[in-house]
Structures are given as structure tokens and as C-alpha cells.
Amino acid sequence: MTDQGLEAGRNETRAERYDRNWRDIQQELRIVQTGTQILAGFLLTLPFQQRFTSLGDGEIGIYLVLVVFAAGITVLALGAVSMHRLLFGQRQKHDLVKYANRVLLACLVFSGLLFAGTVLFVFDVVLGRSLGLIAGAVVFVGTAVLWIGLPLAARRTRRDHEEIRDGDDTR
């Protein structure tokens, strides 16, 4: 199909589809970045708490890994913004959407690890290493199910295409 032709299933050109996809990615990056920044802010305040000096080497190691993850996610998310700035006006929206999608997926993977690791860290400090590992694993598995399992299961149903074809979008 040509750039000027209408894409199947939507009344939009290929360029309009790339614009819509870019807007979707921007919104999703905002959500990831906001959550990560809030968690990073929390993590960055911890060394200034009185109890932080009583942490063991393992707990400090976990903490430092979490800080690196939080910084890494922020840098990744901002990478998509930088890419947009450098490609702006170059008629490369397809490339921008393709690479920004990969950046967003990487942000989600590292966010899942960050959230599970933060739960591990907090439970470890408050209740001990064993409960920390269990709580972190529960969050990791729950995140994997919600962020990967459910979307892949929904993807297999292809229900939207059937509803459009049947003319019924209320099911």
C-alpha cells in the first residue's frame, strides 16, 4: 500500500498511522517515566535516613542496583525524546516509531525488574532476606503475567478484527 493509500481497518494514511503510533508511544513513555521518577526520588532519599547506615553489604548492593536501574530507565525513556529531536523534520517517523517502540519495551522490562527489586529491598530490610526474596518474586511473576501474559493472550484472540468485520463492537 502506498503512503497516500488508506490502511485496512482504519481510515488513515500510513503517515497518519505513524503519527498516531508516535503519540501512543509518547503517552506510554510519560507513564513509565513518571512512575520511575517517583520511585527514583524515593530511592535517592534513602542514604540520608538514619537507618541506612545499619544496612548490610547485600542490602546496599541491592539498593545500588536499584538506583542504576532507575537511572537507566530514565536515560532510556529520554533516549526516545532525543531521537525525536534529532530526527525531527527528516521524514523518518517510521524509524522513530520502530526504535522508540524498542526503547519503550526495554523500559518496561527494566521497570518490572526495578519494581520487583524495590519490593525485595524493602521486605529484606523490614522482614528479612527470605521474605524479601519471596515478595520480590511474587511482584516479578505478577508483573510478567500482567505485562506479558495477558497482552499475549489477548493478542491471540484477534477479537477486534472479528467485531469490525461483523459490525458489532459491543461484545
Side-chain angles (χ1 to χ4, degrees):
M1 186 146 305
T2 67
D3 282 335
Q4 299 303 317
L6 297 179
E7 295 297 318
R10 288 191 183 258
N11 189 18
E12 63 186 359
T13 66
R14 190 172 287 181
E16 290 169 334
R17 184 184 61 191
Y18 291 138
D19 288 341
R20 176 178 49 82
N21 288 339
W22 173 243
R23 284 190 305 271
D24 289 348
I25 288 171
Q26 283 178 307
Q27 186 59 32
E28 292 162 1
L29 282 167
R30 283 184 191 104
I31 293 166
V32 168
Q33 198 169 16
T34 300
T36 303
Q37 287 174 336
I38 291 169
L39 190 49
F42 160 74
L43 289 170
L44 293 176
T45 65
L46 292 181
F48 304 103
Q49 304 301 316
Q50 186 175 11
R51 189 169 175 199
F52 191 82
T53 58
S54 67
L55 296 180
D57 291 343
E59 293 163 334
I60 290 174
I62 293 169
Y63 169 78
L64 292 174
V65 168
L66 295 173
V67 169
V68 169
F69 276 3
I73 295 164
T74 302
V75 169
L76 270 172
L78 290 172
V81 174
S82 172
M83 190 180 312
H84 179 259
R85 278 296 99 209
L86 293 172
L87 294 177
F88 183 77
Q90 301 297 311
R91 298 181 182 262
Q92 289 183 270
K93 186 71 65 106
H94 174 265
D95 294 326
L96 175 63
V97 168
K98 181 173 73 172
Y99 293 119
N101 182 59
R102 291 177 184 168
V103 164
L104 180 56
L105 289 172
C107 285
L108 289 172
V109 167
F110 285 108
S111 292
L113 292 170
L114 175 65
F115 299 145
T118 301
V119 169
L120 181 154
F121 176 72
V122 170
F123 273 68
D124 182 12
V125 170
V126 175
L127 299 174
R129 178 67 43 96
S130 296
L131 290 176
L133 290 170
I134 292 169
V138 167
V139 170
F140 180 77
V141 169
T143 301
V145 167
L146 290 172
W147 290 5
I148 299 169
L150 286 178
L152 289 178
R155 191 179 199 177
R156 284 193 292 266
T157 66
R158 303 266 182 200
R159 185 172 175 178
D160 287 342
H161 297 294
E162 293 168 12
E163 291 171 353
I164 291 170
R165 188 174 45 242
D166 295 339
D168 180 10
D169 62 354
T170 60
R171 286 186 221 162

